[in-house]
Amino acid sequence: MKVKLQGKDFREFPDGSTVRDIAFAISPKLGKAALAGVCDGEILDLMKVPEDGSNLEIATFDDPEGKYVFWHTTSHILAQAVKRLYPEAKLAIGPPVSNGFYYDIEFEAPLTEAELPAIEDEMRKIVKEKLELERFELPRDEAIEYAKKNNEPYKVELIQDLPEGSVISFYTQGEFTDLCRGRHVNNTGAIKAIKLMKVAGAYWRGDEKNKMLTRIYGISFPKAKLLDEYLNKLEEAKKRDHRKLGRELKLFTFFEEGPGFPVYMDKGMTLRNNLTAYLRRLMKRENYQEISTPMMLSSDLWKTSGHWFHYKENMYTSTIDDKEFAIKPMNCPGGVTLYKQQMVSYKDFPMRVAELGHVHRHELSGALNGLLRVRSFTQDDAHIYLLPEQITDEIKNLMRLVDEIYTRFGFEYKVELSTRPDDFMGEIEDWDFAEKSLQTALEEMGVEYKVNEGDGAFYGPKIDFHLVDCLDREWQCGTIQLDFQLPQRFEIEYTAKDGSKQRPTMLHRAIYGSFERLTAILIEHYAGAFPLWLAPVQVGVLSISDDFNDYANEVKAELEDYGFRVETDLRNERIGYKIREATMQKYPYLVIVGADEAENKTISIRPRGEVKNQSMSVQEFIKKMRAELVEQGEPEIK
Ligand SMILES: [Zn+2]
Ligand SMILES: [Zn+2]
C-alpha cells in the first residue's frame, strides 16, 4: 500500500500496515510518541489501517488531534474509576475539550472536590493495569437493551437519538464498557499523569429543565513533567489574573449599574493613552487618515449593511424623533458611508482610513469576563480601499506592522489563513484572486502559517493573528479581512485611469483587536509590571519623613517637566512601609529622598525588582530613563 506522508511524498508500506506500524517505520521515536493518525482530515485510531493512497499525518501529543484522543481516553478512565467507587453513578457524556476533558455524571449524593483525590488514585490504578481498549458494535435496538441492562439511562437516551438502523460502537477496557464513537489511545497505560481539576454543575443536555449532573473536569499528560509545568502555569495565571491586578493597580473597574461596560480609572486611562499614542505614531508613519464616525446611526444604514437583519439581537437600539436608531456594533458601515461622500480616484489608493471606534455589542451576562469579554469596547479598526493588484503588497505592509507591534510587547504569534466557505458571497474568480494574493504575501514574507480551509467569513478570506503570551496561552487579536460585500451593498466607487467608475477592493484590519482585550492580555503578560514606556506611573517618589516633602515635590516637578509620569508618597509613615506599598504598585522606579539627598541635591533610585539603591542627580536619572525608553522603542528626544 502507498500512503502520502505529512502532505509530502508517497511511500510504500506492507499491505495492512496500521497507523502505528507506519509511525514506527518512519522512526522509532515517532512510533513511541504517536497517538493517532490524521487521514484526509479524519482522526484514526493507531490500530486503524489507512486507506491505500490516502494522505496521512501522524499526530503526537503536540498536535490537537493527539491531545483529542489522549484526553478522550482519559475521560473513559475517569468514568471507569467512578463506576468502581460509585457503582450507582450514571454516566452521561465525557468529551475532550480544549484544555483536558470532562465527564457529566449523576451521583446519588452530590460529589465534592474532597472526593477527587480518591477518584484520581483509582484512575492511576487503571493506568497501571494497562487495559487494552477493545471495540465492539451492536445494532441500535440491541445497543439500547445493552445500555438499559447496564442501568445507564443517559446512554439509552443518547442511542435513541441516533437514526434507526445505525450501528452503535462500544469500547471495553477491563470490566468497563462505554458507549463511544471511538478514536482512543489503545491502552490505558499511555496516560502517565492525571489531574482532576474541579467539579461543577451541568444540566443534562445543557437544558435547565433537565436534571443537574456533576461535571468533573480533568487533564492528563504523557509525562509527569508536562503536568507539573501545566499546574505551575495555572498557578502563575491566577496570580496574574487581570481582574485581580486591575483592582490592585487601580486600572479599571465595573459598576453594578453597567454590567459588561468597563470603567477606566486614571491609571488605566493613562495606560490606554500610551497604547493609543504608540498606535497613532505608527498610523502617521504608514500614511493613514484617522476618522471618527457617529456612535448612533439610523436603521436605514444598518439595513443597507445587513446588520439589521442578521445582527440585530446583538445591537442596542433606540428611537430618535420617531426613527429607529442603533448604537454601532462595528465601525465599517459608518466608514464606508464617509467614503461614499468623497470623490475617490485610483491615485488615492491604497487609501488607509483608521478609526479607534467605540462599539457596543450585546453579550449574554454569563459570558462576560473582566476586560476579555465586554459589551462595549474600542477597536483599533482600519479600512483600506485598494486595487486588486495592490492586495499582496498591502498585506505585506500590514504583516510587517503587526510583527513590529507584537514584537515590541514581547509576544510570539501564529498566523492562520482562512479560505472560501460554502456560503460565500461574490464571484469565485475574485475569491481565487484574493486568496492567491494573501498566500503570495504570506509566502513572500516567509512566515509559517496554517490554512483553515473553508473557514473564511462569507464576505471574504482572512488572515488571523494569534498572540502567544509568556504563559504560552493563545489569544486571537489581529485580523486582516477582505470584504467583497460591503463595497457592493453601499455601492461605493472610485474613478479609474480611463475615467470609468469602478468598485474598489476593501479590507478591514485590526492589530490590537480591541483596547480592552489587549489591556487584559498585557496585564497578565507583564503581571502588571509594565515596561517604562507603557507604565501608567513611571516613578514613585517617597520621602523618608515630613522634613523632606518639599524636596520630594521639587524632584517630582523636575521629572514632570521632562514628561515623566510621577506619583509621590508624602504620608507620615515609616519608609519601609511606604516602599512595600509602592513595590506592590510595580512602578518601574522608586525614588527615595531623605537628609543626604536633600542636602546634596541628589536622589536614591531603586529600579523595580532590585533591593539596592543607587545615588545620582535628577538629571542623570532623566538621562538614564530616556535611554531606556529609546531602547524600548520610543522615539529619541533631542
Ligand atoms: Zn471514547
Ligand atoms: Zn470593518
Side-chain angles (χ1 to χ4, degrees):
M1 61 190 268
K2 262 198 221 148
V3 171
K4 194 177 193 176
L5 288 174
Q6 328 281 78
K8 292 196 187 96
D9 299 323
F10 276 102
R11 231 177 102 173
E12 294 264 2
F13 295 96
D15 281 350
S17 295
T18 62
V19 174
R20 166 180 283 165
D21 296 335
I22 294 173
F24 269 106
I26 299 170
S27 86
K29 196 169 161 233
L30 184 63
K32 271 188 211 145
L35 291 172
V38 184
C39 201
D40 296 324
E42 280 281 304
I43 304 181
L44 291 188
D45 280 6
L46 282 181
M47 301 318 280
K48 279 269 165 63
V49 177
E51 244 174 78
D52 194 19
S54 58
N55 187 350
L56 179 74
E57 287 177 46
I58 305 291
T60 67
F61 194 74
D62 292 333
D63 305 298
E65 295 87 356
K67 289 191 174 82
Y68 178 98
V69 297
F70 197 84
W71 288 336
H72 184 169
T73 308
T74 319
S75 85
H76 281 271
I77 297 174
L78 168 60
Q80 183 173 19
V82 165
K83 290 295 271 190
R84 283 184 183 180
L85 300 175
Y86 308 84
E88 292 305 314
K90 299 195 174 33
L91 304 173
I93 52 163
V97 288
S98 61
N99 256 329
F101 58 89
Y102 66 77
Y103 217 117
D104 286 350
I105 300 170
E106 184 191 322
F107 287 90
E108 278 191 315
L111 188 84
T112 65
E113 289 189 357
E115 292 165 79
L116 293 182
I119 300 176
E120 257 176 34
D121 284 343
E122 193 60 42
M123 291 173 77
R124 286 189 202 103
K125 270 188 216 157
I126 295 166
V127 168
K128 283 220 183 80
E129 289 165 22
K130 293 197 165 68
L131 305 173
E132 290 284 331
L133 276 78
E134 278 164 51
R135 180 188 170 100
F136 68 90
E137 290 173 353
L138 291 176
R140 186 170 171 276
D141 293 344
E142 286 176 43
I144 291 172
E145 280 316 305
Y146 182 82
K148 276 188 182 155
K149 195 181 81 207
N150 284 304
N151 198 16
E152 295 288 5
Y154 298 104
K155 301 290 181 188
V156 172
E157 253 192 85
L158 289 170
I159 303 169
Q160 279 167 342
D161 281 353
L162 297 170
E164 292 277 349
S166 44
V167 173
I168 316 293
S169 59
F170 291 86
Y171 280 78
T172 298
Q173 54 198 62
E175 83 290 353
F176 174 74
T177 297
D178 203 351
L179 165 73
C180 179
R181 282 193 312 147
R183 295 175 302 182
H184 304 103
V185 183
N186 305 82
N187 190 297
T188 60
I191 315 297
K192 298 292 183 225
I194 296 171
K195 177 81 190 160
L196 295 182
M197 306 300 296
K198 61 172 181 182
V199 296
Y203 293 107
W204 169 233
R205 294 179 186 275
D207 186 340
E208 58 191 270
K209 284 189 231 97
N210 289 337
K211 195 162 186 139
M212 170 89 83
L213 306 175
T214 301
R215 176 169 296 178
I216 305 178
Y217 286 97
I219 195 161
S220 59
F221 295 90
K223 281 189 189 127
K225 197 180 105 213
L226 293 174
L227 173 61
D228 291 344
E229 279 171 16
Y230 176 77
L231 294 176
N232 282 339
K233 275 182 191 162
L234 272 192
E235 202 45 50
E236 190 56 40
K238 230 187 257 167
K239 277 189 239 156
R240 290 165 180 249
D241 188 317
H242 77 278
R243 292 163 299 186
K244 174 175 164 280
L245 283 171
R247 237 185 348 262
E248 290 170 8
L249 304 179
K250 301 189 184 76
L251 297 171
F252 68 91
T253 184
F254 287 90
F255 297 154
E256 235 170 84
E257 295 85 348
F261 300 112
V263 180
Y264 285 88
M265 299 167 76
D266 180 61
K267 287 177 188 164
M269 205 56 212
T270 305
L271 176 67
R272 179 173 162 153
N273 288 339
N274 295 340
L275 290 169
T276 306
Y278 173 43
L279 201 62
R280 288 214 163 104
R281 197 170 84 225
L282 295 177
M283 294 308 94
K284 197 166 167 61
R285 186 190 77 192
E286 303 282 321
N287 293 315
Y288 278 74
Q289 317 175 15
E290 185 179 339
I291 62 167
S292 172
T293 62
M295 187 73 75
M296 291 179 87
L297 290 160
S298 94
S299 59
D300 296 341
L301 174 118
W302 304 111
K303 283 171 188 161
T304 306
S305 73
H307 288 89
W308 199 257
F309 312 108
H310 302 296
Y311 201 69
K312 200 172 171 210
E313 69 278 16
N314 296 86
M315 290 158 70
Y316 299 115
T317 55
S318 185
T319 310
I320 301 177
D321 294 342
D322 296 330
K323 228 175 155 352
E324 280 187 295
F325 274 68
I327 300 181
K328 65 177 173 183
M330 285 169 200
N331 304 300
C332 341
V336 175
T337 304
L338 177 61
Y339 176 103
K340 211 174 147 87
Q341 286 193 353
Q342 297 165 302
M343 290 288 290
V344 180
S345 142
Y346 73 95
K347 288 185 210 146
D348 302 317
F349 288 168
M351 181 170 149
R352 308 182 179 101
V353 188
E355 173 165 18
L356 304 183
H358 190 183
V359 299
H360 291 68
R361 295 180 191 170
H362 184 64
E363 295 278 353
L364 296 176
S365 56
L368 301 174
N369 174 13
L371 289 182
L372 284 171
R373 197 79 174 267
V374 287
R375 286 173 172 161
S376 92
F377 53 97
T378 300
Q379 297 176 302
D380 66 321
D381 218 347
H383 296 108
I384 301 173
Y385 306 92
L386 69 180
L387 305 171
E389 58 267 32
Q390 293 172 324
I391 295 175
T392 297
D393 278 343
E394 190 60 21
I395 300 289
K396 283 163 71 178
N397 274 339
L398 286 171
M399 294 194 30
R400 276 188 283 267
L401 190 59
V402 167
D403 184 78
E404 177 179 349
I405 293 175
Y406 290 178
T407 305
R408 188 171 191 207
F409 292 124
F411 292 128
E412 309 259 326
Y413 60 93
K414 294 182 181 168
V415 182
E416 296 186 2
L417 169 67
S418 299
T419 59
R420 190 178 65 232
D422 292 337
D423 62 344
F424 72 98
M425 230 218 80
E427 304 301 322
I428 257 196
E429 305 84 72
D430 293 341
W431 275 85
D432 287 344
F433 184 82
E435 285 177 5
K436 190 93 205 69
S437 310
L438 295 184
Q439 214 149 7
T440 307
L442 288 164
E443 255 134 50
E444 289 183 4
M445 290 298 290
V447 294
E448 254 184 64
Y449 65 97
K450 184 175 144 204
V451 179
N452 297 325
E453 235 30 279
D455 226 17
F458 71 93
Y459 52 79
K462 60 173 181 169
I463 297 176
D464 287 326
F465 299 88
H466 298 252
L467 292 182
V468 183
D469 72 10
C470 63
L471 296 181
D472 285 333
R473 296 175 300 179
E474 286 186 32
W475 309 91
Q476 204 252 298
C477 284
T479 186
I480 304 174
Q481 311 194 349
L482 276 153
D483 193 334
F484 299 128
Q485 193 208 25
L486 269 196
Q488 196 170 322
R489 280 185 166 267
F490 281 82
E491 300 178 321
I492 57 170
E493 292 175 334
Y494 69 93
T495 311
K497 212 170 191 169
D498 62 5
S500 65
K501 295 287 184 198
Q502 304 287 337
R503 190 134 297 158
T505 300
M506 173 186 182
L507 62 85
H508 313 251
R509 77 105 183 93
I511 300 175
Y512 287 178
S514 85
F515 281 82
E516 284 67 18
R517 196 171 155 76
L518 181 72
T519 299
I521 295 166
L522 287 175
I523 293 172
E524 300 197 2
H525 178 61
Y526 291 124
F530 299 105
L532 188 65
W533 73 275
L534 264 183
V537 175
Q538 296 167 307
V539 184
V541 179
L542 317 178
S543 57
I544 287 182
S545 81
D546 285 355
D547 298 340
F548 313 108
N549 284 356
D550 288 346
Y551 183 57
N553 277 326
E554 258 175 58
V555 171
K556 177 182 191 242
E558 189 171 352
L559 290 170
E560 282 179 341
D561 270 351
Y562 286 82
F564 289 100
R565 301 182 287 274
V566 186
E567 216 165 71
T568 52
D569 185 349
L570 308 180
R571 290 175 302 169
N572 188 15
E573 297 279 0
R574 280 183 308 111
I575 188 68
Y577 175 80
K578 287 193 195 179
I579 291 176
R580 256 196 317 282
E581 277 212 338
T583 304
M584 302 273 287
Q585 289 298 308
K586 308 191 185 212
Y587 305 143
Y589 288 100
L590 294 185
V591 163
I592 298 147
V593 294
D596 280 356
E597 288 79 13
E599 200 187 314
N600 302 321
K601 295 286 165 203
T602 59
I603 52 176
S604 269
I605 72 153
R606 183 182 290 197
R608 183 172 55 206
E610 293 180 23
V611 287
K612 269 180 66 195
N613 299 346
Q614 304 162 26
S615 177
M616 59 182 72
S617 71
V618 177
Q619 281 302 319
E620 279 172 321
F621 182 42
I622 287 167
K623 231 167 117 189
K624 175 182 162 69
M625 285 197 291
R626 280 191 164 177
E628 190 176 333
L629 286 172
V630 171
E631 209 175 289
Q632 291 178 357
E634 287 294 287
E636 194 165 353
I637 300 169
K638 299 255 162 46

